[in-house]
Amino acid sequence: MSKYAIEISGLRKVYKCQKGVPDKLALNNIDLAIPQGSMFGLLGPNGAGKSTTINILAGLVNKTAGRASIWGFDIDQNPRNASANIGVVPQELMFDAFFTPREMLEVQAGMYGVPKGERKTDELLKAVHLYDKADAYSRTLSGGMKRRLLVAKAMVHTPPILILDEPTAGVDIELRQQLWEYVRELHSRGTTIVLTTHYLEEAEELCDTIAIINHGEVVACEPTDQLLKRIDEKEILIEVSETLDAVPDGLKVFTCNLKAPNQLSIQISKESSNVAQVLTAVNNEKLTITDISTTETDLEDIFLQLTSSQ
């Protein structure tokens, strides 16, 4: 048994276009290995290839070349076993307007061959805070409720892997927190979570490993803390009571800019410099500090650097 929940090697997808229109290369030889039990972030701009990758794993899109396996089962050689080990929450809200949440989960469980006595319909509805809406028509549910129902629908066969494709798009803060609470609970039980999101702070907080895709290629795939070290910068923002028209000479040894007549922005390396050196230099210039704050590199900085350079 492989130690990886999902293994992708040389995955390539070309969409054939009409005559006279160039074919579209969606994925260009992607390699990914997602460990069992991880919380894995798959990030990238719109059109980067995230959803294409997920749809290939889900069996909704045929790949052009390459290999992919789910829980050790090749998606071509053992498609039924591969699909039985994965649950996918899609971006789109797709529902039968005249089915209730309970009916939807029962039908989905039946499609996966889950015996009636082993189904966890009520348990799942309670877990996603929809038990009180179990017998309401799905068309009456709010967008956030539908989003959570899709998570429950993906878990009816208790797959060891759950893929969440933009799960919190259009969901308010309270419902988002409830959704992540449930996802964390699933992860604590051993479920491998694969997440795509445009909320980079979510990926930074939740994921232990992050891959960034751009133009159909993986431009980074590293543990989150290692990825955050790629830009080793800290900004110190200092407000002074004096009015300045230029950066004082004693601060020119740093990367220093005047953001306002009384505000200095100083960039330092987290490894080679420290705040004490900066404060000493400011005091030597006889400046009176009224406020000071620091900010460090976050995932958004790295994401923009990696995706804008291509």
Side-chain angles (χ1 to χ4, degrees):
M1 180 65 189
S2 172
K3 65 179 180 179
Y4 296 108
I6 295 174
E7 288 183 274
I8 294 172
S9 176
L11 193 62
R12 182 177 175 86
K13 176 60 184 178
V14 178
Y15 287 103
K16 297 292 183 180
C17 297
Q18 295 179 350
K19 190 174 181 180
V21 179
D23 294 342
K24 177 176 174 54
L25 178 62
L27 297 177
N28 187 18
N29 296 320
I30 281 183
D31 295 324
L32 282 176
I34 301 174
Q36 292 183 17
S38 67
M39 183 86 83
F40 191 93
L42 188 60
L43 310 182
N46 288 330
K50 305 185 302 297
S51 292
T52 298
T53 302
I54 289 171
N55 287 335
I56 289 173
L57 294 173
L60 301 175
V61 170
N62 293 323
K63 58 185 173 59
T64 303
R67 294 181 64 256
S69 63
I70 298 170
W71 214 248
F73 296 104
D74 188 280
I75 62 172
D76 293 325
Q77 298 175 11
N78 298 285
R80 290 176 65 88
N81 288 331
S83 63
N85 284 285
I86 195 170
V88 179
V89 181
Q91 287 187 41
E92 298 81 11
L93 296 174
M94 298 176 292
F95 289 92
D96 187 315
F98 297 99
F99 271 46
T100 68
R102 177 174 279 119
E103 289 169 341
M104 290 178 63
L105 297 191
E106 284 291 313
V107 169
Q108 187 77 357
M111 291 176 67
Y112 275 100
V114 181
K116 283 195 173 183
E118 297 178 16
R119 295 177 190 176
K120 301 178 180 179
T121 299
D122 286 352
E123 179 183 329
L124 287 169
L125 289 171
K126 290 175 182 177
V128 296
H129 303 277
L130 287 176
Y131 187 70
D132 59 332
K133 300 288 185 180
D135 299 311
Y137 286 129
S138 62
R139 67 175 183 272
T140 66
L141 302 180
S142 68
M145 290 176 181
K146 290 177 180 177
R147 192 69 71 177
R148 283 180 286 151
L149 181 55
L150 284 177
V151 176
K153 191 176 175 184
M155 293 301 297
V156 294
H157 57 302
T158 320
I161 305 168
L162 178 64
I163 296 182
L164 301 157
D165 193 4
E166 301 288 348
T168 55
V171 176
D172 64 40
I173 294 174
E174 182 180 0
L175 295 180
R176 186 181 302 167
Q177 289 175 342
Q178 291 177 355
L179 178 60
W180 289 135
E181 181 182 349
Y182 179 55
V183 169
R184 283 192 181 99
E185 183 182 340
L186 288 174
H187 182 246
S188 69
R189 295 186 210 158
T191 303
T192 302
I193 307 293
V194 180
L195 164 69
T196 79
T197 179
H198 279 107
Y199 299 105
L200 297 183
E201 67 278 8
E202 286 185 349
E204 187 173 342
E205 178 184 351
L206 294 166
C207 299
D208 49 60
T209 305
I210 291 175
I212 297 177
I213 295 180
N214 196 31
H215 299 306
E217 298 181 350
V218 176
V219 296
C221 183
E222 299 171 12
T224 304
D225 55 353
Q226 185 175 321
L227 191 62
L228 291 172
K229 291 178 181 177
R230 280 197 175 213
I231 303 179
D232 180 31
E233 290 181 354
K234 176 184 288 188
E235 181 187 37
I236 304 175
L237 198 61
I238 298 174
E239 291 187 10
V240 297
S241 58
E242 294 80 8
T243 300
L244 306 173
D245 55 13
V247 174
D249 290 339
L251 296 177
K252 290 181 179 178
V253 296
F254 305 103
T255 303
C256 183
N257 296 298
L258 199 62
K259 297 190 78 170
N262 69 329
Q263 192 175 70
L264 293 159
S265 171
I266 302 173
Q267 303 288 335
I268 65 171
S269 167
K270 290 183 284 186
E271 296 295 330
S272 61
S273 299
N274 59 60
V275 178
Q277 291 175 324
V278 173
L279 296 180
T280 299
V282 172
N283 288 329
N284 289 340
E285 290 295 322
K286 309 300 182 185
L287 297 174
T288 305
I289 298 175
T290 58
D291 192 23
I292 183 170
S293 61
T294 63
T295 58
E296 297 187 9
T297 303
D298 61 15
L299 184 58
E300 184 173 355
D301 298 320
I302 298 167
F303 179 86
L304 291 172
Q305 184 191 63
L306 291 172
T307 57
S308 63
S309 62
Q310 293 198 339

